[in-house]
Amino acid sequence: MYHALMRPDDALHLHFRFTPPQVSALTRLGITSVHDLLYHFPSRYDQGGDESAIAGLVAGQEATLFGTIGKLDTRRSWKRRIPVGEATLHDASGAIKIMWFHQPYLAKKFSEGQFVKAVGQIGGKDGKLYLANPHVEPADPADGGLFAEPAHGEEKRSLFPVYPESRGVTSLWLRHAITKVIESGTLEMIDDPIPEETRSRYHLPDIRQSLDAIHRPEKIAQAEGARKRFAFEEMYAVQVVRAIERAHNESQPSFEMTDARSKTAAF
């Protein structure tokens, strides 16, 4: 999918429309630019649960569901008045409600009767279950369905980053926003602060690979490798600053020399 190019230094409001609560939430998270958003790293990764039938779901379960989506709607919750996107997912065994809190626009991404894959956690209580803030994407009916086997070389489970969030901005919103930034080509415009020679010596991936891997890993090992690279980057930055300060200090006249010159001038 094509997205307009976003430059790292661009303010986020140039590319996204925000509500006042979202602006406040992003400010609390320290996110004002495209660069800030890319460096807002996941706190953990959720793994989609085993493929399940809707009829057998229980609260708290992580599930991967295939079915037909419908009854798409947006509204505000009755008590807290927060915006909510709603839909209903049907499979051969039954139906379950989908609820996207703070992200009603997600309900408008799909059409009535579209076949989709939904991955998320089951919320609510027995008898009134719902899929809370799931990742939903179009799917091929020929590929979906209970007991379908993954293609050769693919894994049946998927990793979904979970981000530090604040009231007004959910982890799911952050996931979609960061994906939009990456797909716009922004990573190609980011210079690597670690020289190639240093990366080669310590077997570190470059900045573009690392940012993509930490936000969209196919395997947990990729995310861990990216985290190690960014931990090294922090230490490297500290060392560079200290080296600059040391070189600056060494270039200045010492206290003893300055004091001696002052005494000589006095005579």
Side-chain angles (χ1 to χ4, degrees):
M1 182 180 297
Y2 173 78
H3 294 293
L5 179 63
M6 304 183 199
R7 300 181 184 280
D9 293 336
D10 284 354
L12 280 185
H13 68 79
L14 297 177
H15 304 285
F16 297 90
R17 293 181 180 178
F18 297 122
T19 63
Q22 285 178 318
V23 173
S24 298
L26 289 168
T27 300
R28 289 193 295 271
L29 291 170
I31 302 173
T32 60
S33 69
V34 171
H35 180 276
D36 294 338
L37 186 61
L38 283 173
Y39 271 78
H40 187 71
F41 295 153
S43 56
R44 71 176 195 277
Y45 300 88
D46 281 347
Q47 199 166 42
D50 291 331
E51 190 178 326
S52 306
I54 292 175
L57 298 174
V58 295
Q61 176 182 350
E62 295 285 346
T64 296
L65 306 174
F66 285 90
T68 302
I69 198 169
K71 296 185 179 179
L72 300 156
D73 194 14
T74 60
R75 65 177 179 84
R76 288 188 175 273
S77 63
W78 182 67
K79 289 184 179 180
R80 297 173 58 189
R81 306 302 297 167
I82 61 174
V84 179
E86 289 186 342
T88 301
L89 185 69
H90 295 262
D91 69 5
S93 70
I96 188 171
K97 180 175 285 189
I98 292 175
M99 299 184 72
W100 291 287
F101 300 102
H102 291 290
Q103 297 170 100
Y105 65 90
L106 290 176
K108 300 178 182 179
K109 292 182 62 177
F110 306 98
S111 56
E112 293 284 335
Q114 187 174 8
F115 192 81
V116 299
K117 174 184 177 181
V119 181
Q121 186 175 53
I122 307 302
K125 300 179 180 179
D126 292 340
K128 291 187 178 181
L129 299 179
Y130 61 89
L131 197 56
N133 283 338
H135 172 78
V136 180
E137 60 185 37
D140 186 341
D143 297 331
L146 213 55
F147 310 121
E149 292 297 324
H152 179 68
E154 295 183 353
E155 295 193 14
K156 193 168 185 177
R157 298 185 178 215
S158 300
L159 292 174
F160 299 94
V162 178
Y163 294 91
E165 55 188 32
S166 185
R167 185 174 181 180
V169 170
T170 66
S171 179
L172 183 60
W173 184 92
L174 290 163
R175 184 191 308 161
H176 282 286
I178 290 170
T179 296
K180 183 177 179 181
V181 170
I182 292 174
E183 291 182 350
S184 82
T186 304
L187 300 189
E188 300 301 317
M189 305 178 67
I190 297 180
D191 295 327
D192 201 320
I194 304 177
E196 183 177 356
E197 180 181 353
T198 303
R199 296 199 309 271
S200 178
R201 182 188 312 158
Y202 293 101
H203 307 288
L204 300 171
D206 66 31
I207 187 68
R208 298 165 187 171
Q209 293 172 322
S210 299
L211 284 169
D212 191 64
I214 204 165
H215 291 298
R216 306 191 301 181
E218 295 179 1
K219 299 179 181 179
I220 197 66
Q222 293 177 329
E224 291 173 349
R227 286 190 182 281
K228 290 179 181 178
R229 179 243 143 81
F230 287 116
F232 181 93
E233 183 177 320
E234 289 185 10
M235 293 188 295
Y236 181 81
V238 170
Q239 292 175 350
V240 169
V241 170
R242 288 178 177 173
I244 294 174
E245 291 177 345
R246 185 165 56 250
H248 175 74
N249 291 335
E250 290 175 352
S251 69
Q252 302 300 310
S254 66
F255 175 78
E256 290 79 5
M257 292 179 61
T258 303
D259 189 53
R261 289 173 182 171
S262 298
K263 291 180 179 179
T264 301
F267 287 102

